[in-house]
Amino acid sequence: MHKKHLKNIAFIFARSGSKGLKGKNIKIFNGKPLIAWSIECALQSKSINKVIVSTDCEIIADIARKYGAETPFIRPEVLSQDSTPELMAWKHAITFLNNELSITFDNFISLPCTSPLRSVTDIDESIKTFMRNKPDLLITVTEAHRNPYFNMVKINDKGLCERVIKSSDVIYNRQDAREVWDITTVIYIGRPNYIMNSSDLLNGEIYPFIIPKERSIDIDTEHDFLYAEFLLGKGRSNNG
């Protein structure tokens, strides 16, 4: 089979089992299945050459194809459990494209279903940032509202609270504490070789791409889902 090489491939990983919010990936979000928002955003990007959905479910695969994604395989059940690290699904997708479709590519881009508020600009600019800085992995981050140096605590063996990270300096307000960031599920970009050889994705050179709080939501519960719909509606009304 003739080998084909592409620059950027977007992957959307959408297994059928979801305990936090049943049927989450195809739950109707503002008029269309949640997965459709990631597919359509990826297809609008001029930087992406192919959009592939990895799923263990024929129903999800049918919906993905309806909205323009490719589903060249059904993910094995063993890679679709609650306890399965998503890194294993990433490796499976890369291996399938390389070995079964004879497709190699420069950049692996994961666009989780759970972040439907990302923009096409987020995708294109993060790809530019990745290619300019050449890290092992780019992750999207947003400013954290809680800080382990200031207002986050753990309960010790005596049942008492103490700061998660203790500092020799007295910190009176959050602005004086070391700045920290939340990882978002908006976009991940990595090189296939790094992913294939990794057992912990955050062990390499990791570059941040900052996402505004209003586009950083990660839907995991019914509350998250309703809040994301509210934010989407608010954004549209402000633009109108």
Side-chain angles (χ1 to χ4, degrees), residues 14-17 25-26 35 53-65 71 73-77 80:
R15 66 185 184 89
S16 56
N25 291 323
I26 55 175
I35 192 173
V53 168
S54 167
T55 183
D56 61 325
C57 175
E58 291 285 0
I59 295 174
I60 294 177
D62 286 342
I63 292 172
R65 288 190 291 269
T71 56
F73 57 82
I74 293 296
R75 194 195 314 174
E77 185 177 345
S80 306

Side-chain angles (χ1 to χ4, degrees), residues 66-116:
K66 175 184 175 182
Y67 284 92
E70 299 178 37
T71 56
F73 57 82
I74 293 296
R75 194 195 314 174
E77 185 177 345
V78 69
L79 297 178
S80 306
Q81 305 301 311
D82 286 334
S83 58
T84 306
E86 186 158 301
L87 174 58
M88 302 306 295
W90 287 17
K91 291 183 178 184
H92 170 263
I94 294 170
T95 300
F96 189 94
L97 262 66
N98 289 172
N99 296 346
E100 302 300 324
L101 301 183
S102 295
I103 295 175
T104 57
F105 52 100
D106 291 336
N107 302 318
F108 174 102
I109 300 155
S110 174
L111 303 175
C113 295
T114 53
S115 291

Side-chain angles (χ1 to χ4, degrees), residues 15 17-25 27 29 34 82 86 112-116 185 216-229:
R15 66 185 184 89
S18 175
K19 292 185 176 178
L21 181 59
K22 190 173 180 180
K24 173 175 62 180
N25 291 323
K27 185 176 173 67
F29 177 80
L34 186 61
D82 286 334
E86 186 158 301
C113 295
T114 53
S115 291
T185 60
S216 69
I217 193 164
D218 174 21
I219 295 176
D220 189 48
T221 66
E222 183 72 26
H223 177 270
D224 297 334
F225 191 91
L226 295 173
Y227 184 52
E229 285 195 313

Side-chain angles (χ1 to χ4, degrees), residues 18-207:
S18 175
K19 292 185 176 178
L21 181 59
K22 190 173 180 180
K24 173 175 62 180
N25 291 323
I26 55 175
K27 185 176 173 67
I28 299 303
F29 177 80
N30 203 57
K32 54 191 170 186
L34 186 61
I35 192 173
W37 292 84
S38 291
I39 293 171
E40 291 183 341
C41 195
L43 290 172
Q44 290 170 29
S45 169
K46 295 179 180 179
S47 304
I48 290 175
N49 305 117
K50 189 180 285 287
V51 180
I52 291 177
V53 168
S54 167
T55 183
D56 61 325
C57 175
E58 291 285 0
I59 295 174
I60 294 177
D62 286 342
I63 292 172
R65 288 190 291 269
K66 175 184 175 182
Y67 284 92
E70 299 178 37
T71 56
F73 57 82
I74 293 296
R75 194 195 314 174
E77 185 177 345
V78 69
L79 297 178
S80 306
Q81 305 301 311
D82 286 334
S83 58
T84 306
E86 186 158 301
L87 174 58
M88 302 306 295
W90 287 17
K91 291 183 178 184
H92 170 263
I94 294 170
T95 300
F96 189 94
L97 262 66
N98 289 172
N99 296 346
E100 302 300 324
L101 301 183
S102 295
I103 295 175
T104 57
F105 52 100
D106 291 336
N107 302 318
F108 174 102
I109 300 155
S110 174
L111 303 175
C113 295
T114 53
S115 291
L117 303 186
R118 75 171 65 79
S119 69
V120 178
T121 300
D122 291 333
I123 296 174
D124 290 338
E125 290 302 315
S126 64
I127 292 173
K128 289 178 184 176
T129 300
F130 180 80
M131 295 177 69
R132 182 170 60 248
N133 293 280
K134 301 183 179 356
D136 293 320
L137 184 75
L138 176 146
I139 62 174
T140 46
V141 300
T142 196
E143 184 181 1
H145 283 176
R146 294 286 177 179
N147 192 305
Y149 293 91
F150 176 63
N151 59 359
M152 291 181 69
V153 298
K154 59 184 177 180
I155 300 176
N156 63 24
D157 294 338
K158 297 179 181 179
L160 302 175
C161 292
E162 58 184 52
R163 282 198 180 97
V164 172
I165 300 178
K166 294 182 179 180
S167 172
S168 57
D169 299 323
V170 179
I171 299 173
Y172 293 103
N173 56 67
R174 188 169 63 88
Q175 288 71 28
D176 292 335
R178 181 173 179 176
E179 193 170 30
V180 295
W181 303 82
D182 288 332
I183 297 175
T184 78
T185 60
V186 177
I187 302 163
Y188 300 89
I189 307 176
R191 301 201 182 279
N193 284 344
Y194 173 70
I195 294 168
M196 293 303 298
N197 292 305
S198 179
S199 58
D200 181 353
L201 285 172
L202 296 183
N203 265 349
E205 293 185 357
I206 313 301
Y207 199 87

